[in-house]
Amino acid sequence: MAPHFVFPRTLQDLEEESPEDNRLCVQNPIDLASLRSSQLEEFVKGVSFDLSDKELLCVEDHDVFDRLYSLLRGYSSLPNSSKLNLLESLRSNLAVLLPNVDSLSRASEGDLPFLLDRLASHRNAFKIYTFFLLSIVLAEDSNNANANAASKVVAASARKKQPAKSWNWEPQRARILNLIANSLEINLELLFGSPDLDEGYLSFITKNTFSMFENTALLKDSDAKDALCRIIGACSTKYHYTAQSCASIMHLIHKYDFVVTHMADAVAGAKKKYSDGTLATSLVRDIGRTNPKDYVKDTAGAENVGRFLVELADRLPKLISTNIGILITHFGGESYKIRNALVAVLGKLIAKAFKDVDSAEVSSKSIRLRTKQAMLEILLERCRDVSAYTRSRVLQVWAELCEEHSVSIGLWNEVAEVAAGRLEDKSAIVRKSALNLLIMMLQHNPFGPQLRIASFEATLDQYKKKLKELESPSEGSDSENLNGNGEVEDLGIETVTKVQQESMTDTCMSQADDAVPLENSSSVPDVGNLEQTRALVASLEAGSRFSKCIGATMPTLVQLMASSSATDVENTILLLMRCKQFQIDGSEECLRKMLPLVFSQDKSIYEAVENAFHTIYIRKNPVETAKNLLSLATDSNIGDLAALEFIVGALVSKGDISSSTISALWDFFCFNVGGTTAEQSRGALSVLCMVAKKSSGALGSHLQDIIDIGFGRWSKVDPLLARTACIAIERLSEDDKKKLLTNNNVRIFGILESIITGFWLPANIWYAAADKAITALYAIHPTPETIAADLIKKFLNSVFNDGGGSDIDTSGSMPITVQGEKLSRFLFVISHIAMNQLVYIESCARKIQKQKLRKEEKDIQSQTADSNDKESNGTQKGNDINAELGFAASEDAALDALFEKAEKEIVSGGSNEKNLVGISATFLSKLCRNYGLLQKYPELQASAMLALCRLMIIDADFCDANLQLQFTVVENANSETVRSNCTIALGDLAVRFPNLLEPWTENMYARLGDPCISVRKNAVLVLSHLILNDMMKVKGYINEMAVRLEDEDERISNLAKLFFIELSKKGNNPIYNLLPDILSKLSKQNLSNDSFCNIMQFLIASIKKDRQMEALVEKLCNRFSGATDVRQWQHISYCLSQLSFTEKGMKKLIELFKTYEHVLSEDSVMDHFRNIVNKGKKFAKLEMKSCIEEFEDKLNKFHMEKKEQEVTARNAQIHQQKIDSRGGFNVATNSEDHSESNTVSDETDSEVIDGCADETDTLSLNGKSQSKHVPEASSGASSELIEPDQVDIEVQSPITKMRGTQRSRAKKSNVKDGKGDISVSKRRAIGSRR
């Protein structure tokens, strides 16, 4: 019998002989290095021949074994063909050996010794073949890994010269591993003689299998990977090698993230193949018993373990559900990654582990339902987890459960309310997950395609009545429609959906009115018996509650659309689209508020708004599209109209608004569609005007309709129609304008003049209509200044020649009585004409400059074409001479002077004779200065100041002359409208005449403190526009804008926040430079501590760069030396605590300790520094953490020292006060006087003591200087002032003569403190006897 084979620790251990245990070892190894290549090939062929020619057990022979060992030891030097020969021989022999083992199991037990001998030989051969094959796999993989590493270093050219491999290793490796996996499935218990296999064999197999899992290239080969998984499953489960396998699996999972899914496959495969979950259970228990603190230190390992648990729960949900209790304890751990994984595990289990719960036994069903309910409750509780990542993951799990229909109706509304609450979470990722969850809940809701509250309530009322009718004859149990878990069963879901579909329209995006059909019908569909009706009522109640819950989130969604996070905005828009699809109440209004977001600089937000607009409002049917657009135009405010115009222009450019849609809009405008109202007609024309901005010829085909309808009888029905028609005329193309003037010259100008000078429009609409009518006149008239002059004259005559109405007596030589409303309109018209005249002059200037440029380009082209012509050369020379002499520049200067003169002449700034506007300007200026008169007529004051502002914008001299008046009015006017208008005008003046407005910057910032909300809002908007567009420098008054961050009006507060967010994006973040100045000025203002903290926290959060944060540490610390107020110390230290400290910033703070050591006595300041220290500990490395701890000890030490100094100084001060008060007493002459003085003294001294108690919180750093003035004799007493009783003894000392006092002090100089106290009491007694 051959020696038995023992698996060595290393290959070289086979050469060590051990005669004691009679194991097979190598006796005559052969050195392959000494063989030539031909000899080596012959040697390998000889070994292969022996293995194939001799019997399978020949591998036990020393000769064959030694040669195999030699080949394996020198395996790397073998050529590929020899490797393949050797590998095939070993593999084929083992493949043949396996069936022989099975045949031995069927052999008769008659010849038992022979059978045992054969089993031993087969066992030996089995081990040897397995050892050599696995060793070859490991050696080849190692060689390949080294070759790949070397090939990365070699240059590309060198790599091309390398010979290609003559064999493909991956298929060979997969065949070997599959063979070994198959070998574990035969009857090895017979071969090894017991159920427990040889420890060495199992150890060798599992050790090398797990090492192969570290090879990423091997795991990409699915055949090889599956074989490895089978090997692990068989060893750990079939042959009970569980403990060692668990340890190896956990080690790999912690170390390598790419093995997680493969290990889960191996564990799940073992469970399914052998119906034994021991390995999975052991792994789960090992994870559950691990100390949660270990996962905090090993974050990568925690993430891998979490992923492994999720994969296991996905593959083995029932098994994990029975062991989930072991893992629940980790919810109390600090590692959020493990909590995230457990949340995902619970989601997998809820979705998959309880699907067959209905088919289980009653007791088992009850237990499993309770388990499921407990898991659901944990998921709801985890929505309030301390980590934002975990909260976000929980919401994602709920979304997955909703998608898989694993949430019952009873729990549906609880989940919806949690998601709605998380919309206000401080973390953006949580808000994103909450929005996605609500989208998923709407998409998979069990209540039907329409969720209008009115529809639900109407249907619910009907079925409640029906339920009462059914319950009246026979009262059933109230709990029949509840399951064992106390939840509403899903019995009524299909019914409620059917009822919803029967009672409502199927079109989710329908714009039909919200009439509820069931309200008009006396009967409802019959759903069955009493139990089914109860279930339906419960389902309808749940649906109504869900609809109300989603509807209640609309205000929050509006706020989220203004979020600085792009993901918030995008997902909010998606949710609102889904809400509109299901007709949630209020979703339509919220969606309209997304329109201004098209002006966002973030491309993703703009695209989200455009896509949503296209999805909601653009239909295949052009009539529906036209109706949607015109309804938007009629119901929108000015801001929404501007956004709508921008979107419509973009859609026209892309071709999304087709010609058929434009035709449908014309049909609505011309009342060709039945039931069209004047308001709809105006909306259609408004949209057509928007289209005309991108498509110039859109209005030309219906010029006559615009005049007839826009200014005809329908304008009396809807006066705004005339204004819209004026906009349409203004936006006509040049060809259409010519056509209009040719056909309707007199008529159109008469119509526009009647709008301006007539009184047929209501007063509130006239101003808007006259504005657009004047603009239209200037747009289409060839010489608008002439018709404008006629208009002014007519209006002037109508105002000052017609009497009546409110009397306004001007201070001229002859009193003139005018009508207030007419004067207001006249001032509006003349100021607007002046403004349009300015625009007209600038447009003429641009036209002349364009013509000049075109002429110059033509000249250059003609000179280039005729470059050889002598005449052209002469012309070229002439042009060059002109250029040198500056004729071209002088021509441009002359044009500029001409334009400037034309602009000045509008308000008579450049001519001796005053024109119409100039005369009115003089009158207007005097009128506005008559402050007492205008106070009586607020409407006239508003119109007059608006006109004055416009004329100031036109002319610099007029502006300079009236600027002080402007600021006087904006500060003192009683009317909010006047102050708001003047504030807006100041912004325009600052743009046009920045040098004139620069000295008044402080007054402009002062508008931020106006008591009126509208004035403050306009001031914030104006200053934001000026500063962000670099038209005004950020001066030292920016703290006024910072105060608006805490404005009582939420809109103003949001505008201020938006301003600082946008300001932080400019250049190198100006807020960084402004912050110290803002801090200094806010500290001096009368702000509450909370408001100050909120403002500075917001401003500091806008600074993102570490370098700026580090510089701020130094700037703020240096401010401590200049601050003397405790409040300033608190504010500076608070700002320091809000900074994001890097390692450099922390070192700088420690270095600057001298600058703030004197403020550490203040408790509130010390609290802020402790917060800084706690922050630093979180990010600090080990070395830095020790420095921070030393710094903390230093802070505490100085804090205690400063507090002691403060107490000492205060005690010394109190004692000095008592000494001074004692010296000021007069000597009394009788006992009554003495008793009275003693009484007064007691009272006075008691007040001093109380003052001492009250002043314990007061800072005093002058202890040393005060102690110098304390007499020597009182040094002992001053140290005892801390004790209350001794203080009383000292304070109540009697009044004696000064000489006696001096003598007694001299005697006491060498007496102890206690004796001194006794002598004082004795003197008091003697004094009282006297």
Side-chain angles (χ1 to χ4, degrees):
M1 181 178 177
H4 65 275
F5 178 77
V6 177
F7 285 93
R9 290 193 303 273
T10 62
L11 184 65
Q12 286 71 23
D13 289 349
L14 288 175
E15 297 183 16
E16 297 177 2
E17 295 186 12
S18 56
E20 298 174 359
D21 54 1
N22 189 30
R23 63 181 177 83
L24 184 63
C25 59
V26 178
Q27 295 178 351
N28 299 309
I30 299 168
D31 186 11
L32 299 183
S34 62
L35 301 177
R36 294 193 298 271
S37 59
S38 57
Q39 293 175 332
L40 185 59
E41 288 184 12
E42 289 298 324
F43 182 76
V44 174
K45 288 179 181 177
V47 173
S48 299
F49 179 78
D50 288 344
L51 287 173
S52 58
D53 189 55
K54 295 181 180 179
E55 67 171 341
L56 297 173
L57 305 180
C58 68
V59 74
E60 290 183 297
D61 297 343
H62 276 289
D63 178 48
V64 177
F65 185 77
D66 291 352
R67 285 186 291 164
L68 278 173
Y69 169 79
S70 302
L71 287 173
L72 183 58
R73 189 177 63 178
Y75 181 80
S76 59
S77 62
L78 295 178
N80 289 334
S81 57
S82 299
K83 290 180 181 179
L84 186 59
N85 263 342
L86 176 64
L87 193 65
E88 279 298 317
S89 301
L90 291 170
R91 190 193 62 76
S92 60
N93 278 17
L94 180 59
V96 175
L97 181 66
L98 298 182
N100 287 353
V101 174
D102 283 334
S103 66
L104 288 175
S105 64
R106 294 189 294 272
S108 61
E109 299 180 1
D111 193 0
L112 188 60
F114 174 75
L115 180 61
L116 292 176
D117 186 54
R118 294 292 292 176
L119 282 173
S121 298
H122 277 75
R123 181 169 59 249
N124 233 17
F126 177 77
K127 287 182 181 180
I128 294 169
Y129 283 126
T130 303
F131 172 75
F132 279 122
L133 282 172
L134 268 180
S135 298
I136 288 173
V137 170
L138 295 172
E140 184 64 28
D141 282 343
S142 177
N143 291 340
N144 289 340
N146 294 334
N148 290 335
S151 66
K152 292 179 181 177
V153 181
V154 180
S157 58
R159 285 203 301 268
K160 290 178 183 176
K161 297 177 183 177
Q162 290 180 354
K165 294 182 179 179
S166 61
W167 70 320
N168 191 1
W169 163 242
E170 283 75 14
Q172 302 297 332
R173 178 178 59 198
R175 292 172 69 188
I176 294 170
L177 293 177
N178 273 301
L179 179 62
I180 292 173
N182 292 336
S183 70
L184 290 168
E185 295 175 3
I186 65 173
N187 192 1
L188 291 182
E189 296 177 358
L190 172 68
L191 192 64
F192 284 88
S194 74
D196 298 326
L197 305 188
D198 184 5
E199 176 72 21
Y201 169 72
L202 286 176
S203 176
F204 177 78
I205 291 286
T206 54
K207 175 186 173 183
N208 291 298
T209 301
F210 283 120
S211 70
M212 290 183 206
F213 268 104
E214 300 177 12
N215 186 352
T216 54
L218 184 149
L219 295 176
K220 293 177 183 178
D221 182 1
S222 59
D223 291 338
K225 188 263 294 182
D226 291 341
L228 291 177
C229 292
R230 286 168 56 205
I231 293 171
I232 289 176
C235 292
S236 58
T237 304
K238 183 178 179 181
Y239 300 111
H240 314 297
Y241 203 68
T242 307
Q244 298 87 337
S245 297
C246 283
S248 299
I249 289 172
M250 292 305 300
H251 170 74
L252 283 177
I253 289 173
H254 275 274
K255 195 172 181 181
Y256 303 106
D257 58 346
F258 56 84
V259 303
V260 170
T261 54
H262 307 303
M263 286 300 165
D265 288 336
V267 174
K271 165 68 173 63
K272 290 174 183 176
K273 186 166 187 176
Y274 301 104
S275 299
D276 185 355
T278 306
L279 178 61
T281 304
S282 300
L283 287 169
V284 172
R285 288 178 178 172
D286 283 351
I287 294 170
R289 291 167 185 161
T290 306
N291 190 344
K293 293 182 179 179
D294 295 344
Y295 291 125
V296 178
K297 300 172 185 176
D298 182 14
T299 55
E303 186 171 0
N304 294 344
V305 169
R307 285 178 51 219
F308 178 70
L309 286 174
V310 176
E311 296 290 341
L312 270 188
D314 190 36
R315 291 164 174 78
L316 304 171
K318 290 184 181 178
L319 186 143
I320 301 298
S321 67
T322 57
N323 295 279
I324 191 64
I326 305 170
L327 301 172
I328 294 299
T329 55
H330 283 282
F331 273 123
E334 296 181 14
S335 174
Y336 74 87
K337 293 187 176 181
I338 289 294
R339 297 202 301 274
N340 287 3
L342 291 179
V343 163
V345 166
L346 291 178
K348 296 287 185 185
L349 298 183
I350 292 168
K352 295 185 175 183
F354 304 99
K355 285 186 175 179
D356 58 345
V357 68
D358 294 332
S359 60
E361 297 179 1
V362 176
S363 59
S364 174
K365 178 180 178 180
S366 176
I367 293 171
R368 296 185 69 184
L369 281 175
R370 284 199 299 271
T371 305
K372 181 180 179 181
Q373 182 64 18
M375 292 180 183
L376 291 168
E377 289 173 358
I378 291 173
L379 278 183
L380 283 173
E381 180 187 351
R382 284 297 111 192
C383 290
R384 296 184 292 273
D385 193 278
V386 68
S387 169
Y389 296 105
T390 304
R391 296 197 299 274
S392 174
R393 189 71 187 96
V394 173
L395 296 173
Q396 292 170 15
V397 168
W398 279 116
E400 293 167 6
L401 292 175
C402 290
E403 191 173 9
E404 295 173 4
H405 305 286
S406 299
V407 181
S408 63
I409 299 183
L411 206 61
W412 192 269
N413 284 303
E414 289 187 48
V415 177
E417 288 166 2
V418 167
R422 288 298 102 196
L423 291 177
E424 299 181 30
D425 198 281
K426 63 182 180 180
S427 173
I429 57 172
V430 180
R431 296 195 298 270
K432 178 183 177 181
S433 299
L435 289 165
N436 289 330
L437 172 56
L438 289 174
I439 291 171
M440 198 62 67
M441 294 189 79
L442 281 170
Q443 188 172 347
H444 297 279
N445 85 86
F447 307 113
Q450 295 182 356
L451 300 175
R452 287 179 293 180
I453 296 174
S455 302
F456 269 110
E457 290 180 348
T459 311
L460 186 59
D461 290 341
Q462 297 289 341
Y463 278 98
K464 279 184 176 179
K465 292 177 183 177
K466 189 173 184 64
L467 181 62
K468 286 182 181 179
E469 294 174 2
L470 291 172
E471 284 179 338
S472 53
S474 59
E475 288 291 335
S477 173
D478 289 339
S479 62
E480 288 179 0
N481 62 325
L482 301 177
N483 57 26
N485 193 25
E487 298 177 355
V488 181
E489 289 185 351
D490 293 352
L491 173 65
I493 289 304
E494 294 181 2
T495 313
V496 72
T497 305
K498 181 180 177 183
V499 168
Q500 288 275 50
Q501 289 175 345
E502 287 178 0
S503 62
M504 301 177 211
T505 172
D506 289 335
T507 306
C508 294
M509 308 291 283
S510 173
Q511 299 295 323
D513 59 34
D514 296 339
V516 182
L518 285 174
E519 290 179 347
N520 300 325
S521 59
S522 58
S523 61
V524 290
D526 192 359
V527 294
N529 56 21
L530 179 62
E531 290 77 13
Q532 290 176 328
T533 306
R534 280 179 177 167
L536 177 58
V537 168
S539 300
L540 285 170
E541 288 176 343
S544 176
R545 181 182 167 193
F546 176 66
S547 182
K548 290 176 181 177
C549 175
I550 301 296
T553 63
M554 294 301 146
T556 307
L557 296 180
V558 172
Q559 291 179 355
L560 285 177
M561 282 196 289
S563 171
S564 58
S565 171
T567 55
D568 280 348
V569 180
E570 293 170 30
N571 288 288
T572 301
I573 291 172
L574 291 175
L575 176 57
L576 285 172
M577 289 173 63
R578 191 67 68 184
C579 288
K580 188 178 187 305
Q581 177 184 345
F582 287 90
Q583 299 186 9
I584 298 292
D585 295 344
S587 58
E588 178 77 23
E589 292 74 14
C590 288
L591 268 174
R592 292 194 178 184
K593 293 182 181 178
M594 81 173 177
L595 293 178
L597 294 175
V598 294
F599 300 116
S600 173
Q601 296 179 355
D602 194 320
K603 187 179 178 182
S604 61
I605 294 177
Y606 166 74
E607 290 176 349
V609 174
E610 188 179 11
N611 293 335
F613 186 90
H614 190 281
T615 304
I616 296 168
Y617 299 111
I618 306 300
R619 293 275 182 273
K620 291 182 179 179
N621 187 346
V623 177
E624 288 185 14
T625 303
K627 195 170 183 181
N628 290 339
L629 293 176
L630 67 88
S631 64
L632 272 177
T634 52
D635 297 339
S636 299
N637 56 31
I638 296 174
D640 292 344
L641 280 174
L644 180 61
E645 184 171 325
F646 187 84
I647 296 177
V648 168
L651 295 177
V652 169
S653 300
K654 292 181 179 180
D656 291 334
I657 294 181
S658 60
S659 57
S660 55
T661 302
I662 296 174
S663 299
L665 286 168
W666 280 120
D667 289 339
F668 276 106
F669 172 67
C670 298
F671 297 90
N672 295 334
V673 179
T676 304
T677 62
E679 188 180 25
Q680 288 177 322
S681 175
R682 169 171 58 84
L685 184 58
S686 181
V687 176
L688 287 167
C689 291
M690 298 173 188
V691 172
K693 206 163 187 180
K694 288 292 180 180
S695 178
S696 57
L699 299 172
S701 58
H702 291 74
L703 285 176
Q704 197 61 43
D705 293 328
I706 292 173
I707 295 171
D708 294 340
I709 298 172
F711 302 112
R713 65 184 182 86
W714 289 106
S715 61
K716 305 290 192 300
V717 179
D718 185 1
L720 284 174
L721 186 58
R723 176 183 178 275
T724 310
C726 291
I727 297 173
I729 290 173
E730 177 194 349
R731 294 191 180 177
L732 291 174
S733 64
E734 291 299 324
D735 294 336
D736 293 333
K737 287 177 183 177
K738 292 177 183 177
K739 193 196 311 184
L740 178 66
L741 293 177
T742 304
N743 299 331
N744 299 281
N745 190 346
V746 179
R747 185 182 177 198
I748 187 62
F749 294 137
I751 291 170
L752 293 176
E753 186 177 335
S754 69
I755 291 175
I756 298 167
T757 59
F759 284 84
W760 56 277
L761 286 173
N764 59 335
I765 293 174
W766 177 87
Y767 287 95
D771 182 345
K772 296 303 177 184
I774 293 171
T775 307
L777 271 177
Y778 270 84
I780 64 174
H781 201 282
T783 56
E785 65 275 9
T786 58
I787 193 171
D790 293 338
L791 276 174
I792 293 174
K793 289 176 184 177
K794 289 180 181 178
F795 226 125
L796 198 59
N797 291 329
S798 68
V799 171
F800 291 100
N801 293 336
D802 296 341
S806 300
D807 294 342
I808 299 179
D809 187 7
T810 60
S811 58
S813 58
M814 183 180 295
I816 302 173
T817 302
V818 298
Q819 192 173 354
E821 184 181 352
K822 281 190 176 183
L823 183 58
S824 297
R825 292 193 179 192
F826 167 71
L827 295 176
F828 175 83
V829 168
I830 199 165
S831 64
H832 199 60
I833 286 176
M835 187 66 71
N836 277 273
Q837 184 68 22
L838 176 66
V839 175
Y840 175 67
I841 291 170
E842 290 177 352
S843 67
C844 291
R846 284 194 298 271
K847 286 179 183 178
I848 293 172
Q849 287 170 352
K850 285 180 182 178
Q851 289 173 1
K852 186 183 173 189
L853 287 173
R854 280 198 295 267
K855 183 181 177 183
E856 289 175 356
E857 288 174 2
K858 286 181 181 178
D859 291 342
I860 293 170
Q861 290 174 0
S862 63
Q863 289 166 10
T864 308
D866 302 330
S867 58
N868 296 324
D869 188 12
K870 293 182 180 179
E871 186 179 348
S872 64
N873 289 336
T875 308
Q876 178 67 31
K877 288 180 181 178
N879 290 337
D880 292 342
I881 292 170
N882 289 336
E884 289 178 8
L885 293 175
F887 288 150
S890 63
E891 186 179 348
D892 290 339
L895 281 173
D896 291 340
L898 185 64
F899 296 142
E900 186 177 349
K901 182 181 179 183
E903 289 179 4
K904 282 192 172 184
E905 286 181 351
I906 297 174
V907 194
S908 275
S911 64
N912 296 325
E913 295 181 3
K914 290 188 178 295
N915 54 26
L916 288 171
V917 178
I919 295 169
S920 303
T922 306
F923 165 75
L924 177 62
S925 179
K926 291 181 180 179
L927 178 64
C928 291
R929 292 177 193 278
N930 196 338
Y931 195 69
L933 177 66
L934 291 183
Q935 290 284 55
K936 301 176 184 177
Y937 305 96
E939 292 182 2
L940 178 60
Q941 185 186 26
S943 184
M945 285 308 302
L946 184 59
L948 181 73
C949 293
R950 284 177 172 172
L951 295 183
M952 288 173 68
I953 290 168
I954 295 169
D955 191 273
D957 295 334
F958 188 77
C959 174
D960 193 19
N962 294 279
L963 201 53
Q964 187 170 1
L965 170 63
Q966 172 91 341
F967 279 102
T968 303
V969 172
V970 81
E971 289 175 5
N972 301 324
N974 295 331
S975 172
E976 298 176 1
T977 306
V978 172
R979 297 204 307 274
S980 292
N981 289 345
C982 291
T983 302
I984 296 169
L986 287 174
D988 296 332
L989 289 171
V991 174
R992 186 150 169 81
F993 307 119
N995 294 333
L996 291 178
L997 268 292
E998 196 272 338
W1000 299 88
T1001 304
E1002 183 178 0
N1003 301 75
M1004 293 182 68
Y1005 275 99
R1007 294 303 88 224
L1008 293 168
D1010 195 279
C1012 174
I1013 291 176
S1014 63
V1015 178
R1016 292 202 306 274
K1017 185 194 77 174
N1018 288 329
V1020 171
L1021 288 170
V1022 166
L1023 289 171
S1024 300
H1025 171 70
L1026 293 174
I1027 293 171
L1028 295 178
N1029 290 289
D1030 298 321
M1031 289 180 261
M1032 176 186 282
K1033 292 182 180 179
V1034 182
K1035 297 271 184 166
Y1037 316 106
I1038 195 67
N1039 58 294
E1040 295 295 336
M1041 184 70 88
V1043 172
R1044 291 306 110 214
L1045 289 168
E1046 285 292 298
D1047 196 280
E1048 58 187 14
D1049 185 72
E1050 188 177 0
R1051 176 165 168 74
I1052 296 175
S1053 174
N1054 292 335
L1055 287 172
K1057 289 176 182 177
L1058 181 62
F1059 164 74
F1060 281 107
I1061 289 170
E1062 294 299 321
L1063 184 64
S1064 67
K1065 298 176 184 177
K1066 289 177 67 66
N1068 203 21
N1069 193 350
I1071 296 178
Y1072 157 71
N1073 294 318
L1074 296 169
L1075 194 69
D1077 188 48
I1078 293 174
L1079 165 63
S1080 176
K1081 293 192 174 180
L1082 289 181
S1083 296
K1084 297 174 184 177
Q1085 287 186 271
N1086 188 21
L1087 278 177
S1088 68
N1089 193 49
D1090 290 342
S1091 296
F1092 175 86
C1093 293
N1094 293 338
I1095 291 169
M1096 297 310 298
Q1097 183 181 16
F1098 181 84
L1099 294 177
I1100 292 171
S1102 65
I1103 301 173
K1104 306 295 182 185
K1105 294 182 180 178
D1106 291 342
R1107 181 172 54 82
Q1108 291 180 343
M1109 285 287 186
E1110 293 158 10
L1112 274 177
V1113 173
E1114 186 173 359
K1115 286 185 178 183
L1116 292 175
C1117 287
N1118 289 332
R1119 284 196 167 257
F1120 278 114
S1121 56
T1124 56
D1125 186 13
V1126 175
R1127 189 163 180 258
Q1128 290 181 337
W1129 296 349
Q1130 294 172 346
H1131 288 169
I1132 297 171
S1133 58
Y1134 173 78
C1135 293
L1136 274 173
S1137 69
Q1138 295 304 305
L1139 296 177
S1140 299
F1141 278 87
T1142 60
E1143 190 169 330
K1144 287 183 180 178
M1146 206 70 199
K1147 287 180 179 177
K1148 189 164 287 188
L1149 182 69
I1150 297 171
E1151 290 171 4
L1152 295 168
F1153 182 79
K1154 288 287 183 184
T1155 60
Y1156 54 82
E1157 64 178 356
H1158 63 283
V1159 306
L1160 295 178
S1161 60
E1162 194 64 32
D1163 290 335
S1164 58
V1165 174
M1166 192 62 192
D1167 290 339
H1168 294 317
F1169 275 96
R1170 288 192 183 104
N1171 291 338
I1172 295 171
V1173 169
N1174 294 334
K1175 271 188 188 178
K1177 287 180 179 178
K1178 291 180 182 178
F1179 70 82
K1181 297 177 183 176
L1182 189 61
E1183 182 181 351
M1184 187 63 196
K1185 190 169 283 188
S1186 61
C1187 293
I1188 293 174
E1189 289 173 353
E1190 291 178 9
F1191 175 60
E1192 185 178 18
D1193 295 339
K1194 190 175 181 181
L1195 285 174
N1196 291 328
K1197 178 183 175 183
F1198 264 79
H1199 178 62
M1200 296 307 297
E1201 288 178 358
K1202 293 292 180 184
K1203 295 293 284 184
E1204 290 175 2
Q1205 289 176 8
E1206 183 182 334
V1207 171
T1208 303
R1210 187 163 54 248
N1211 290 339
Q1213 184 180 8
I1214 294 169
H1215 183 71
Q1216 181 64 35
Q1217 290 174 354
K1218 286 185 290 187
I1219 294 297
D1220 294 341
S1221 63
R1222 185 192 311 162
F1225 290 146
N1226 293 322
V1227 180
T1229 56
N1230 51 52
S1231 60
E1232 292 179 1
D1233 292 340
H1234 277 299
S1235 61
E1236 289 176 2
S1237 64
N1238 284 336
T1239 306
V1240 173
S1241 176
D1242 290 343
E1243 292 175 355
T1244 306
D1245 291 339
S1246 66
E1247 289 175 3
V1248 172
I1249 295 168
D1250 293 339
C1252 176
D1254 292 339
E1255 290 173 4
T1256 53
D1257 294 330
T1258 307
L1259 285 175
S1260 176
L1261 300 176
N1262 300 321
K1264 293 182 180 178
S1265 61
Q1266 292 172 350
S1267 63
K1268 290 179 183 178
H1269 300 288
V1270 178
E1272 183 179 350
S1274 63
S1275 60
S1278 66
S1279 66
E1280 294 176 355
L1281 285 174
I1282 301 169
E1283 297 295 332
D1285 295 335
Q1286 293 171 351
V1287 170
D1288 290 341
I1289 293 172
E1290 281 291 328
V1291 170
Q1292 294 176 4
S1293 60
I1295 302 172
T1296 58
K1297 293 181 180 179
M1298 295 299 295
R1299 285 177 296 176
T1301 305
Q1302 294 293 335
R1303 284 197 301 271
S1304 66
R1305 288 180 184 174
K1307 291 177 182 179
K1308 284 194 301 177
S1309 60
N1310 296 322
V1311 181
K1312 292 183 180 180
D1313 296 339
K1315 293 180 179 179
D1317 294 338
I1318 296 171
S1319 64
V1320 169
S1321 60
K1322 286 181 178 179
R1323 284 201 313 274
R1324 183 179 60 186
I1326 293 168
S1328 63
R1329 284 196 297 273
R1330 287 178 184 176

